[in-house]
Amino acid sequence: MQRSNPVPAAPAEAGSPPLSAGNPSHLTAGGGPAAWLGILTHPLFLRLASIVTVMAAWEYAGRVPISPAFPTFLETMGALGGLIADGTLIEAFWITLQPLVIGLLASVTIGVAFGVTMGLNRLAEWLVSPIFIIAQSAPLAALIPILTFAYGIGLTSKVMTVCIMAMPVIVLNSLNAVRHTPVSLLEMGRSFLGSRRQIIWKVILPAAAPVIFAGLRLGCAAGFIGVILAELLITPTGIGDIITYNQSIAEYPKMYAAIFSIIVFSVLFIEALERLEVTMFRPEKRAAR
């Protein structure tokens, strides 16, 4: 049989990448459709698009207007700039952050400790978990007058309000995180003759960290709600004072500016908490970013 020699391929030009299925650069070079699709579907672009959409809808709703008490987005930003310039907003944040920080530190420390303990001990779970289950499902805002009657209108009642709003979510998420540690990881720790303490610190807690941090984010968000409720219902101070006062004199742009500022601060705080989780406990997500 006569064997035909294969025709040699033409040499590639110097500096040009080979055109293959694994190298689609010839499809995306020059900003083609695939490149634009990658930009439009990027998470950062989608977040920015969502923010711009909300701002545009806010501006349109204010110009219609849907209510005389609803300012436009530009009016609100102008009022926000004025509150920052005269120092009113900074002073209000300083007052608001005091009960918030104390309450969140207490809620995170005690809540995670309670949740992990209940996850490791069935007796502790049976004794304590019903309290937090009831607290999570109850309308806790109705307890604020009771706290005011018991602790007065000072810092203590506001800290307690933050705690009762934030702690149940943190406790129950920590409990579920520890309780649902994969059995395969526990068996692996025992097969390597790990002690009880080693299994808790090196197997259970790292496996439970993502769900615990999810509970921390939800609890901190509830804590922000709690501190504003306390300032509105107990005694007008801080951000709550700006909201209440400007509502009473019909300065609605300043009222919405104060609300907008605390929402932005809360979002940034929760985002920073998520970044901390990724940095400390989620190396696979850190690599993906």
Side-chain angles (χ1 to χ4, degrees):
M1 272 179 85
Q2 207 173 22
R3 180 179 297 175
S4 59
N5 295 326
V7 179
E13 295 182 8
S16 62
L19 301 180
S20 62
N23 182 18
S25 60
H26 62 288
L27 297 176
T28 60
W36 280 105
L37 182 62
I39 294 174
L40 295 177
T41 56
H42 194 277
L44 180 59
F45 178 83
L46 294 176
R47 287 187 179 187
L48 292 175
S50 175
I51 294 172
V52 171
T53 302
V54 171
M55 291 178 179
W58 184 351
E59 182 70 20
Y60 175 77
R63 290 183 181 276
V64 170
I66 60 173
S67 169
F70 190 80
T72 66
F73 177 75
L74 294 179
E75 290 173 346
T76 304
M77 291 302 100
L80 179 63
L83 291 174
I84 295 174
D86 62 14
T88 303
L89 190 65
I90 298 173
E91 182 181 355
F93 260 99
W94 171 250
I95 297 172
T96 298
L97 286 178
Q98 294 177 24
L100 178 65
V101 170
I102 297 173
L104 287 183
L105 287 176
S107 298
V108 169
T109 305
I110 299 172
V112 172
F114 270 44
V116 171
T117 302
M118 288 190 292
L120 298 173
N121 190 304
R122 287 282 186 182
L123 179 60
E125 180 185 356
W126 294 337
L127 289 174
V128 182
S129 63
I131 299 174
F132 292 100
I133 292 173
I134 294 172
Q136 188 180 32
S137 58
L140 297 178
L143 298 178
I144 295 179
I146 301 176
L147 294 176
T148 306
F149 181 76
Y151 298 104
I153 60 173
L155 181 65
T156 304
S157 57
K158 295 177 183 179
V159 171
M160 293 295 294
T161 303
V162 174
C163 289
I164 65 173
M165 295 292 290
M167 196 177 296
V169 182
I170 297 174
V171 170
L172 294 178
N173 272 269
S174 301
L175 164 63
N176 291 327
V178 173
R179 180 65 68 203
H180 293 93
T181 302
V183 178
S184 58
L185 294 180
L186 297 175
E187 292 177 349
M188 179 191 67
R190 296 190 189 102
S191 66
F192 281 98
L193 304 180
S195 64
R196 172 72 169 169
R197 177 175 295 181
Q198 288 174 328
I199 291 176
I200 291 174
W201 284 100
K202 298 184 178 181
V203 176
I204 295 177
L205 291 181
V211 180
I212 291 176
F213 263 84
L216 292 181
R217 292 196 298 271
L218 294 173
C220 289
F224 276 92
I225 297 172
V227 74
I228 298 302
L229 281 176
E231 291 186 337
L232 292 175
L233 299 178
I234 296 176
T235 178
T237 57
I239 299 296
D241 185 29
I242 296 178
I243 295 172
T244 304
Y245 175 73
N246 287 287
Q247 181 187 21
S248 65
I249 63 173
E251 285 283 352
Y252 298 116
K254 290 184 178 181
M255 184 187 76
Y256 278 90
I259 297 171
F260 177 82
S261 66
I262 195 65
I263 291 174
V264 170
F265 185 82
S266 174
V267 170
L268 293 177
F269 182 83
I270 301 302
E271 181 69 18
L273 198 60
E274 183 178 3
R275 296 280 180 167
L276 178 64
E277 175 198 356
V278 172
T279 302
M280 294 180 63
F281 299 106
R282 307 289 291 276
E284 73 281 0
K285 283 195 173 185
R286 186 168 67 248
R289 291 189 180 192

